[in-house]
Amino acid sequence: MNRTIRAAVCSVAVTGLAFGLSSCSEAVDQVDKAVDETYEVTYEVTGKNIDSIEFHGGGGKAMEPKIESVSKPELPWKKTVTLRGIMPAAVMPVAVDPEGSQVTCRIIHKGKVLEEQSSDGLVTAGGCTAESPITG
């Protein structure tokens, strides 16, 4: 009798483990897809007296993106980049001018503004960061 109960318990445990691994496998597949999927955003920066613009350009790792930079950009400035997976879209215009600066940045995905920020003053570091649309 104990053998029968033990066999039944082992059978249930093995079946449960198989179902658990199946669910785990599906979750891993979803994460892999999200990490490998790409999306395109357009960064826009307007204003006056902007010294530089730094942005995530698509290189590097999702949590350690490579930051690209443009010095003395011609305004209005626009750049479309392809990002991958959970990498956030980010653009940071920087202005240091004794007479004051104005900065507006936007991150656009498929015609929709994901983030927009404006700032003005003597030292301005206006930045926009948006979560990956793949994760949401």
Side-chain angles (χ1 to χ4, degrees):
M1 182 108 165
N2 283 340
R3 278 189 173 163
T4 305
I5 293 172
R6 187 178 297 163
V9 168
C10 285
S11 176
V12 169
V14 168
T15 302
L17 182 59
F19 283 129
L21 290 176
S22 172
S23 296
C24 182
S25 176
E26 289 173 18
V28 168
D29 289 344
Q30 288 175 343
V31 169
D32 283 346
K33 180 183 178 212
V35 168
D36 290 334
E37 191 173 341
T38 61
Y39 67 100
E40 196 171 84
V41 294
T42 299
Y43 301 129
E44 293 181 353
V45 176
T46 58
K48 69 175 190 172
N49 302 330
I50 296 174
D51 295 308
S52 66
I53 300 171
E54 294 184 344
F55 59 96
H56 292 174
K61 297 178 183 176
M63 297 312 291
E64 296 175 13
K66 180 182 176 194
I67 297 173
E68 296 184 29
S69 183
V70 175
S71 294
K72 301 290 183 191
E74 186 175 322
L75 299 174
W77 179 85
K78 185 187 277 192
K79 175 90 172 170
T80 299
V81 299
T82 300
L83 303 175
R84 189 172 60 99
I86 61 173
M87 182 180 288
V91 60
M92 178 179 251
V94 177
V96 180
D97 191 304
E99 296 177 19
S101 304
Q102 294 175 340
V103 174
T104 298
C105 63
R106 278 180 216 85
I107 299 173
I108 301 166
H109 173 68
K110 294 185 176 179
K112 178 183 172 194
V113 176
L114 298 179
E115 182 68 21
E116 181 172 2
Q117 296 291 326
S118 293
S119 181
D120 50 80
L122 178 62
V123 177
T124 304
C128 293
T129 303
E131 181 178 322
S132 166
I134 293 172
T135 62

